[in-house]
Amino acid sequence: MQKPKIAILISGRGSNLLALLDAIRDGRLEAEAAVVISNVESAAGLVRARERGVETLVISHKNRTREEHDREIVAELKRRDVELVCLAGYMRLLGSFFVRSFENRILNIHPSLLPAFPGVDAQRQALAHGVKITGCTVHLVDEQLDHGPIVLQRAVEVLDHDTVESLSARILEQEHHIYPEAAALVLKKDFRVDGRRTFCQDRD
Ligand code: GAR
């Protein structure tokens, strides 16, 4: 049977991209990585994807409207029969055309326990607020920033001596665990979304 095709969108380092590719290689995520797309030509993750033999594309957002940019990406995804889109450090908000083209089929990972600390610098926000527990969230993407229905979360304790760097590193380690797990859940036949809640028997 053909494996579902996933696309991974990045803007930078690409460590979550590698975690997804590792999970595919090891059989923890039954999927095929069809393409990696970056809006930033210098994104380090592009090199890492090419080293793994995955097709890469750069589609810059410069000198285009959001809709024009989104349409170009969606066309490339449709051309490759992509079923699931994983945003992995993709630092652009998706417009309604993109979100509607892949309804409940776009995932994002965010380094906080949403709805706390959306947006940039989530780990810095958590430290500044003084929370004792933070973590990471994989959620379905809607048109609002870091907002759609939650698929998986993992808690990470904030330690007294934590800096943004040390806390970010421990959260990132958990991101690498939950992103492939969440992608696998969403691809299961019995995965469903009801309002803000998501369900899958395999998670129970
Ligand atoms: C990750 O920590 C991810 O959670 C965060 O960017 C980093 C990308 O790292 N995403 C967001 O803050 C989205 N709002 P990576 O390129 O090494 O995967």
Side-chain angles (χ1 to χ4, degrees):
M1 216 176 66
Q2 235 202 350
K3 293 185 177 166
K5 294 187 175 161
I6 69 166
I8 303 156
L9 271 54
I10 62 168
S11 298
R13 179 177 56 184
S15 72
N16 278 291
L17 153 76
L18 277 194
L20 289 164
L21 295 182
D22 284 351
I24 290 173
R25 182 196 57 202
D26 301 346
R28 284 176 285 126
L29 173 56
E30 293 270 347
E32 179 192 329
V35 65
V36 170
I37 301 178
S38 174
N39 62 316
V40 179
E41 199 174 350
S42 59
L46 286 171
V47 180
R48 304 170 101 174
R50 280 185 215 122
E51 283 167 1
R52 300 290 190 96
V54 180
E55 185 194 5
T56 60
L57 291 177
V58 176
I59 303 181
S60 172
H61 57 278
K62 288 194 186 141
N63 307 316
R64 290 176 170 91
T65 65
R66 185 178 310 280
E67 166 130 12
E68 284 166 353
H69 184 237
D70 281 0
R71 278 185 186 274
E72 206 176 320
I73 295 177
V74 167
E76 296 293 349
L77 300 176
K78 296 281 182 196
R79 189 170 299 150
R80 291 168 181 76
D81 289 325
V82 165
E83 255 187 59
L84 180 67
V85 182
C86 296
L87 309 185
Y90 183 69
M91 295 311 199
R92 302 260 312 158
L93 197 60
L94 305 188
S96 58
F97 174 76
F98 199 146
V99 173
R100 282 194 212 126
S101 302
F102 286 90
E103 208 192 343
N104 289 337
R105 295 270 108 186
I106 309 171
L107 286 173
N108 182 42
I109 184 140
H110 183 75
S112 75
L113 293 176
L114 290 171
F117 314 128
V120 293
D121 279 340
Q123 305 93 331
R124 187 182 300 278
Q125 292 183 57
L127 275 181
H129 198 90
V131 294
K132 299 299 183 195
I133 294 176
T134 182
C136 47
T137 302
V138 178
H139 65 93
L140 294 167
V141 171
D142 63 13
E143 286 168 47
Q144 295 178 54
L145 180 68
D146 300 327
H147 176 267
I150 290 167
V151 179
L152 273 185
Q153 293 188 299
R154 182 93 15 110
V156 172
E157 205 176 337
V158 181
L159 306 175
D160 286 353
H161 59 262
D162 261 332
T163 59
V164 173
E165 290 70 31
S166 65
L167 180 60
S168 301
R170 288 206 312 289
I171 295 174
L172 193 63
E173 211 177 293
Q174 297 308 319
E175 292 183 40
H176 297 162
H177 288 297
I178 67 167
Y179 209 173
E181 263 183 60
L185 282 177
V186 169
L187 289 170
K188 300 261 186 219
K189 281 212 164 44
D190 66 346
F191 176 81
R192 67 186 172 85
V193 185
D194 184 3
R196 283 211 49 89
R197 299 186 67 191
T198 67
F199 300 89
C200 186
Q201 266 164 16
D202 284 49
R203 188 174 43 186
D204 297 337

PDB file of all heavy atoms in Angstrom, residues 12-17 88-91 108-111 119 123 146 172 175-176, ligand 1:
ATOM      1  N   GLY A  12      14.141  27.751   9.029  1.00  0.00           N
ATOM      2  CA  GLY A  12      15.451  27.875   9.674  1.00  0.00           C
ATOM      3  C   GLY A  12      16.183  26.575   9.868  1.00  0.00           C
ATOM      4  O   GLY A  12      16.325  25.770   8.950  1.00  0.00           O
ATOM      5  N   ARG A  13      16.562  26.336  11.140  1.00  0.00           N
ATOM      6  CA  ARG A  13      17.468  25.251  11.534  1.00  0.00           C
ATOM      7  C   ARG A  13      17.035  23.854  11.092  1.00  0.00           C
ATOM      8  O   ARG A  13      17.811  23.047  10.634  1.00  0.00           O
ATOM      9  CB  ARG A  13      17.564  25.321  13.060  1.00  0.00           C
ATOM     10  CG  ARG A  13      18.396  24.321  13.741  1.00  0.00           C
ATOM     11  CD  ARG A  13      18.409  24.627  15.227  1.00  0.00           C
ATOM     12  NE  ARG A  13      17.049  24.687  15.785  1.00  0.00           N
ATOM     13  CZ  ARG A  13      16.768  25.006  17.040  1.00  0.00           C
ATOM     14  NH1 ARG A  13      17.740  25.310  17.863  1.00  0.00           N
ATOM     15  NH2 ARG A  13      15.523  25.016  17.470  1.00  0.00           N
ATOM     16  N   GLY A  14      15.779  23.537  11.308  1.00  0.00           N
ATOM     17  CA  GLY A  14      15.263  22.260  10.809  1.00  0.00           C
ATOM     18  C   GLY A  14      15.474  21.058  11.711  1.00  0.00           C
ATOM     19  O   GLY A  14      15.466  19.918  11.233  1.00  0.00           O
ATOM     20  N   SER A  15      15.600  21.255  13.018  1.00  0.00           N
ATOM     21  CA  SER A  15      15.777  20.076  13.886  1.00  0.00           C
ATOM     22  C   SER A  15      14.489  19.259  13.972  1.00  0.00           C
ATOM     23  O   SER A  15      14.534  18.026  14.036  1.00  0.00           O
ATOM     24  CB  SER A  15      16.287  20.465  15.277  1.00  0.00           C
ATOM     25  OG  SER A  15      15.288  21.099  16.027  1.00  0.00           O
ATOM     26  N   ASN A  16      13.343  19.910  13.978  1.00  0.00           N
ATOM     27  CA  ASN A  16      12.082  19.142  13.966  1.00  0.00           C
ATOM     28  C   ASN A  16      11.884  18.425  12.633  1.00  0.00           C
ATOM     29  O   ASN A  16      11.340  17.318  12.591  1.00  0.00           O
ATOM     30  CB  ASN A  16      10.890  20.053  14.276  1.00  0.00           C
ATOM     31  CG  ASN A  16      10.736  20.273  15.769  1.00  0.00           C
ATOM     32  OD1 ASN A  16      10.379  19.351  16.498  1.00  0.00           O
ATOM     33  ND2 ASN A  16      11.034  21.481  16.227  1.00  0.00           N
ATOM     34  N   LEU A  17      12.322  19.051  11.559  1.00  0.00           N
ATOM     35  CA  LEU A  17      12.310  18.393  10.253  1.00  0.00           C
ATOM     36  C   LEU A  17      13.099  17.089  10.328  1.00  0.00           C
ATOM     37  O   LEU A  17      12.624  16.027   9.898  1.00  0.00           O
ATOM     38  CB  LEU A  17      12.937  19.343   9.220  1.00  0.00           C
ATOM     39  CG  LEU A  17      13.606  18.732   8.001  1.00  0.00           C
ATOM     40  CD1 LEU A  17      12.548  18.249   7.020  1.00  0.00           C
ATOM     41  CD2 LEU A  17      14.521  19.721   7.312  1.00  0.00           C
ATOM     42  N   ALA A  88       7.399  23.197  10.552  1.00  0.00           N
ATOM     43  CA  ALA A  88       8.460  22.884  11.513  1.00  0.00           C
ATOM     44  C   ALA A  88       9.400  24.088  11.592  1.00  0.00           C
ATOM     45  O   ALA A  88      10.377  24.171  10.857  1.00  0.00           O
ATOM     46  CB  ALA A  88       9.206  21.617  11.078  1.00  0.00           C
ATOM     47  N   GLY A  89       9.023  25.035  12.459  1.00  0.00           N
ATOM     48  CA  GLY A  89       9.780  26.284  12.521  1.00  0.00           C
ATOM     49  C   GLY A  89       9.551  27.112  11.275  1.00  0.00           C
ATOM     50  O   GLY A  89      10.454  27.800  10.802  1.00  0.00           O
ATOM     51  N   TYR A  90       8.328  27.027  10.738  1.00  0.00           N
ATOM     52  CA  TYR A  90       7.958  27.838   9.563  1.00  0.00           C
ATOM     53  C   TYR A  90       7.349  29.128  10.101  1.00  0.00           C
ATOM     54  O   TYR A  90       6.260  29.106  10.663  1.00  0.00           O
ATOM     55  CB  TYR A  90       6.957  27.072   8.700  1.00  0.00           C
ATOM     56  CG  TYR A  90       6.562  27.801   7.427  1.00  0.00           C
ATOM     57  CD1 TYR A  90       7.476  27.987   6.397  1.00  0.00           C
ATOM     58  CD2 TYR A  90       5.268  28.291   7.250  1.00  0.00           C
ATOM     59  CE1 TYR A  90       7.116  28.642   5.227  1.00  0.00           C
ATOM     60  CE2 TYR A  90       4.895  28.939   6.080  1.00  0.00           C
ATOM     61  CZ  TYR A  90       5.830  29.108   5.074  1.00  0.00           C
ATOM     62  OH  TYR A  90       5.473  29.758   3.919  1.00  0.00           O
ATOM     63  N   MET A  91       8.090  30.223   9.960  1.00  0.00           N
ATOM     64  CA  MET A  91       7.722  31.439  10.675  1.00  0.00           C
ATOM     65  C   MET A  91       6.851  32.373   9.835  1.00  0.00           C
ATOM     66  O   MET A  91       7.120  33.571   9.734  1.00  0.00           O
ATOM     67  CB  MET A  91       9.000  32.147  11.157  1.00  0.00           C
ATOM     68  CG  MET A  91       9.761  31.334  12.177  1.00  0.00           C
ATOM     69  SD  MET A  91       8.695  30.728  13.516  1.00  0.00           S
ATOM     70  CE  MET A  91       9.883  30.359  14.790  1.00  0.00           C
ATOM     71  N   ASN A 108       1.312  22.209  13.282  1.00  0.00           N
ATOM     72  CA  ASN A 108       2.389  23.116  13.685  1.00  0.00           C
ATOM     73  C   ASN A 108       2.911  22.682  15.047  1.00  0.00           C
ATOM     74  O   ASN A 108       2.164  22.113  15.841  1.00  0.00           O
ATOM     75  CB  ASN A 108       1.854  24.551  13.789  1.00  0.00           C
ATOM     76  CG  ASN A 108       2.948  25.544  14.162  1.00  0.00           C
ATOM     77  OD1 ASN A 108       4.066  25.463  13.648  1.00  0.00           O
ATOM     78  ND2 ASN A 108       2.643  26.471  15.061  1.00  0.00           N
ATOM     79  N   ILE A 109       4.187  22.943  15.288  1.00  0.00           N
ATOM     80  CA  ILE A 109       4.740  22.704  16.624  1.00  0.00           C
ATOM     81  C   ILE A 109       5.138  24.035  17.236  1.00  0.00           C
ATOM     82  O   ILE A 109       5.684  24.909  16.552  1.00  0.00           O
ATOM     83  CB  ILE A 109       5.931  21.713  16.593  1.00  0.00           C
ATOM     84  CG1 ILE A 109       6.388  21.431  18.017  1.00  0.00           C
ATOM     85  CG2 ILE A 109       7.085  22.206  15.747  1.00  0.00           C
ATOM     86  CD1 ILE A 109       6.749  19.998  18.282  1.00  0.00           C
ATOM     87  N   HIS A 110       4.811  24.160  18.522  1.00  0.00           N
ATOM     88  CA  HIS A 110       5.076  25.428  19.206  1.00  0.00           C
ATOM     89  C   HIS A 110       5.701  25.149  20.581  1.00  0.00           C
ATOM     90  O   HIS A 110       5.228  24.262  21.301  1.00  0.00           O
ATOM     91  CB  HIS A 110       3.768  26.213  19.361  1.00  0.00           C
ATOM     92  CG  HIS A 110       3.981  27.553  19.978  1.00  0.00           C
ATOM     93  ND1 HIS A 110       4.536  28.603  19.282  1.00  0.00           N
ATOM     94  CD2 HIS A 110       3.762  28.006  21.241  1.00  0.00           C
ATOM     95  CE1 HIS A 110       4.645  29.650  20.090  1.00  0.00           C
ATOM     96  NE2 HIS A 110       4.178  29.319  21.282  1.00  0.00           N
ATOM     97  N   PRO A 111       6.732  25.926  20.967  1.00  0.00           N
ATOM     98  CA  PRO A 111       7.449  25.623  22.210  1.00  0.00           C
ATOM     99  C   PRO A 111       6.824  26.216  23.472  1.00  0.00           C
ATOM    100  O   PRO A 111       7.489  26.903  24.253  1.00  0.00           O
ATOM    101  CB  PRO A 111       8.846  26.205  21.942  1.00  0.00           C
ATOM    102  CG  PRO A 111       8.590  27.346  21.028  1.00  0.00           C
ATOM    103  CD  PRO A 111       7.412  26.972  20.181  1.00  0.00           C
ATOM    104  N   GLY A 119       3.047  32.984  19.677  1.00  0.00           N
ATOM    105  CA  GLY A 119       3.918  33.963  19.007  1.00  0.00           C
ATOM    106  C   GLY A 119       5.392  33.652  19.187  1.00  0.00           C
ATOM    107  O   GLY A 119       5.770  32.543  19.548  1.00  0.00           O
ATOM    108  N   GLN A 123       9.617  30.601  24.848  1.00  0.00           N
ATOM    109  CA  GLN A 123      10.389  30.166  26.029  1.00  0.00           C
ATOM    110  C   GLN A 123      10.763  31.374  26.879  1.00  0.00           C
ATOM    111  O   GLN A 123      10.717  31.316  28.104  1.00  0.00           O
ATOM    112  CB  GLN A 123      11.656  29.417  25.586  1.00  0.00           C
ATOM    113  CG  GLN A 123      11.411  28.226  24.661  1.00  0.00           C
ATOM    114  CD  GLN A 123      11.505  28.605  23.180  1.00  0.00           C
ATOM    115  OE1 GLN A 123      11.231  29.743  22.790  1.00  0.00           O
ATOM    116  NE2 GLN A 123      11.875  27.648  22.359  1.00  0.00           N
ATOM    117  N   ASP A 146      -0.894  30.210  16.192  1.00  0.00           N
ATOM    118  CA  ASP A 146      -0.700  29.220  17.273  1.00  0.00           C
ATOM    119  C   ASP A 146      -2.009  28.918  18.001  1.00  0.00           C
ATOM    120  O   ASP A 146      -2.078  28.964  19.242  1.00  0.00           O
ATOM    121  CB  ASP A 146       0.359  29.733  18.280  1.00  0.00           C
ATOM    122  CG  ASP A 146       1.707  29.956  17.607  1.00  0.00           C
ATOM    123  OD1 ASP A 146       2.037  29.205  16.666  1.00  0.00           O
ATOM    124  OD2 ASP A 146       2.427  30.887  17.997  1.00  0.00           O
ATOM    125  N   LEU A 172      12.979  21.539  23.316  1.00  0.00           N
ATOM    126  CA  LEU A 172      13.234  21.033  21.957  1.00  0.00           C
ATOM    127  C   LEU A 172      13.347  19.508  21.944  1.00  0.00           C
ATOM    128  O   LEU A 172      12.849  18.842  21.028  1.00  0.00           O
ATOM    129  CB  LEU A 172      14.506  21.669  21.391  1.00  0.00           C
ATOM    130  CG  LEU A 172      14.742  21.498  19.893  1.00  0.00           C
ATOM    131  CD1 LEU A 172      13.643  22.175  19.068  1.00  0.00           C
ATOM    132  CD2 LEU A 172      16.101  22.062  19.488  1.00  0.00           C
ATOM    133  N   GLU A 175       9.969  18.315  21.883  1.00  0.00           N
ATOM    134  CA  GLU A 175       9.360  18.590  20.567  1.00  0.00           C
ATOM    135  C   GLU A 175       9.666  17.444  19.616  1.00  0.00           C
ATOM    136  O   GLU A 175       8.807  16.976  18.866  1.00  0.00           O
ATOM    137  CB  GLU A 175       9.895  19.903  19.975  1.00  0.00           C
ATOM    138  CG  GLU A 175       9.472  21.155  20.716  1.00  0.00           C
ATOM    139  CD  GLU A 175       9.973  22.422  20.027  1.00  0.00           C
ATOM    140  OE1 GLU A 175       9.943  22.494  18.789  1.00  0.00           O
ATOM    141  OE2 GLU A 175      10.394  23.360  20.735  1.00  0.00           O
ATOM    142  N   HIS A 176      10.947  16.996  19.666  1.00  0.00           N
ATOM    143  CA  HIS A 176      11.375  15.947  18.725  1.00  0.00           C
ATOM    144  C   HIS A 176      10.661  14.619  18.980  1.00  0.00           C
ATOM    145  O   HIS A 176      10.555  13.801  18.079  1.00  0.00           O
ATOM    146  CB  HIS A 176      12.897  15.769  18.796  1.00  0.00           C
ATOM    147  CG  HIS A 176      13.643  16.997  18.373  1.00  0.00           C
ATOM    148  ND1 HIS A 176      14.956  17.214  18.672  1.00  0.00           N
ATOM    149  CD2 HIS A 176      13.230  18.090  17.674  1.00  0.00           C
ATOM    150  CE1 HIS A 176      15.332  18.386  18.177  1.00  0.00           C
ATOM    151  NE2 HIS A 176      14.300  18.944  17.563  1.00  0.00           N
TER     152      HIS A 176
HETATM  153  C1  GAR B   1      11.052  25.140  17.389  1.00  0.00           C
HETATM  154  O1  GAR B   1      11.361  25.337  18.755  1.00  0.00           O
HETATM  155  C2  GAR B   1       9.576  25.363  17.138  1.00  0.00           C
HETATM  156  O2  GAR B   1       8.772  24.907  18.199  1.00  0.00           O
HETATM  157  C3  GAR B   1       9.517  26.865  17.028  1.00  0.00           C
HETATM  158  O3  GAR B   1      10.645  27.199  16.264  1.00  0.00           O
HETATM  159  C4  GAR B   1      11.683  26.242  16.538  1.00  0.00           C
HETATM  160  C5  GAR B   1      12.185  25.710  15.215  1.00  0.00           C
HETATM  161  O4  GAR B   1      13.308  24.886  15.414  1.00  0.00           O
HETATM  162  N1  GAR B   1       8.294  27.297  16.388  1.00  0.00           N
HETATM  163  C6  GAR B   1       7.600  28.362  16.756  1.00  0.00           C
HETATM  164  O5  GAR B   1       7.949  29.122  17.649  1.00  0.00           O
HETATM  165  C7  GAR B   1       6.302  28.574  15.992  1.00  0.00           C
HETATM  166  N2  GAR B   1       5.481  29.572  16.590  1.00  0.00           N
HETATM  167  P1  GAR B   1      13.774  23.860  14.313  1.00  0.00           P
HETATM  168  O6  GAR B   1      13.926  24.678  13.002  1.00  0.00           O
HETATM  169  O7  GAR B   1      15.105  23.364  14.798  1.00  0.00           O
HETATM  170  O8  GAR B   1      12.754  22.793  14.180  1.00  0.00           O
END
